[in-house]
């Protein structure tokens, strides 16, 4: 079982429901990520029904931490509606991942203006 992907999907599911509305766009993106990583669709359904506690992220590499944060920001923006609860959720996750909380606003504004690798370098250099 891929625990790294499971944790990421669990976080994304909790983010998606943080505004009390789990949109089809959010659901589709979560399933798309799972599919790309070879994570069973049945396990995603189970996580949607029974999300797990988030826990800590100490064992993640910098690349994995960035991927988690990138996926959160991307999911928050997917329906073009940003709720305060989503922003706060992303800030909490950013802090738990070891980033400065203002990384969320930076990534919200810059995520689609840079190549992903370039954005990762900026984030890791300026917000850790």
């Amino acid at each position: 079982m891929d625990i790294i992907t499971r944790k990421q999907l669990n976080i994304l599911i909790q983010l998606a429901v943080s505004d009390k509305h789990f949109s089809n766009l959010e659901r589709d993106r979560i399933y798309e990520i799972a599919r790309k990583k070879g994570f069973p669709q049945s396990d995603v359904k189970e996580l949607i029904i029974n999300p797990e506690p988030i826990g800590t992220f100490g064992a993640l590499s910098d690349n994995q931490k960035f991927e988690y944060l990138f996926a959160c920001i991307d999911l928050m923006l997917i329906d073009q509606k940003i709720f305060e609860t989503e922003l706060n959720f992303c800030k909490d996750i950013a802090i738990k991942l070891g980033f400065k909380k203002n990384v969320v606003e930076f990534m919200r504004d810059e995520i689609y203006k840079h190549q992903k690798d370039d954005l990762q370098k900026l984030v890791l250099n300026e917000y850790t």
Side-chain angles (χ1 to χ4, degrees):
M1 175 180 293
D2 182 358
I3 295 183
I4 302 294
T5 300
R6 183 178 190 85
K7 282 185 80 127
Q8 181 183 27
L9 295 171
N10 181 59
I11 290 166
L12 295 175
I13 290 164
Q14 291 189 42
L15 170 60
V17 299
S18 70
D19 64 359
K20 308 292 186 229
H21 177 69
F22 196 164
S23 79
N24 288 335
L25 289 171
E26 292 167 330
R27 186 181 311 273
D28 291 348
R29 180 60 55 89
I30 290 167
Y31 276 107
E32 176 187 336
I33 291 168
R35 205 171 25 260
K36 284 181 179 177
K37 295 188 177 202
F39 195 81
Q41 302 294 300
S42 59
D43 288 359
V44 177
K45 288 178 187 173
E46 179 60 31
L47 279 174
I48 290 170
I49 295 166
N50 297 308
E52 300 170 349
I54 291 176
T56 61
F57 303 110
L60 297 176
S61 69
D62 286 346
N63 288 342
Q64 290 167 325
K65 289 176 183 180
F66 175 79
E67 283 297 324
Y68 274 35
L69 185 59
F70 184 93
C72 284
I73 302 301
D74 181 57
L75 189 71
M76 178 179 68
L77 297 173
I78 199 165
D79 60 5
Q80 300 177 352
K81 300 174 193 166
I82 301 174
F83 293 91
E84 194 69 28
T85 53
E86 293 173 318
L87 274 171
N88 290 335
F89 185 93
C90 287
K91 287 177 185 178
D92 288 344
I93 293 298
I95 291 167
K96 286 182 179 183
L97 288 168
F99 295 102
K100 298 172 185 172
K101 71 178 180 179
N102 60 340
V103 72
V104 172
E105 285 86 2
F106 171 77
M107 286 186 67
R108 176 196 63 203
D109 297 339
E110 300 292 325
I111 193 168
Y112 304 124
K113 296 178 183 175
H114 303 273
Q115 293 292 321
K116 192 173 180 181
D117 290 342
D118 294 337
L119 182 65
Q120 181 175 354
K121 288 174 191 166
L122 284 169
V123 167
L124 293 176
N125 286 333
E126 299 295 324
Y127 294 95
T128 56

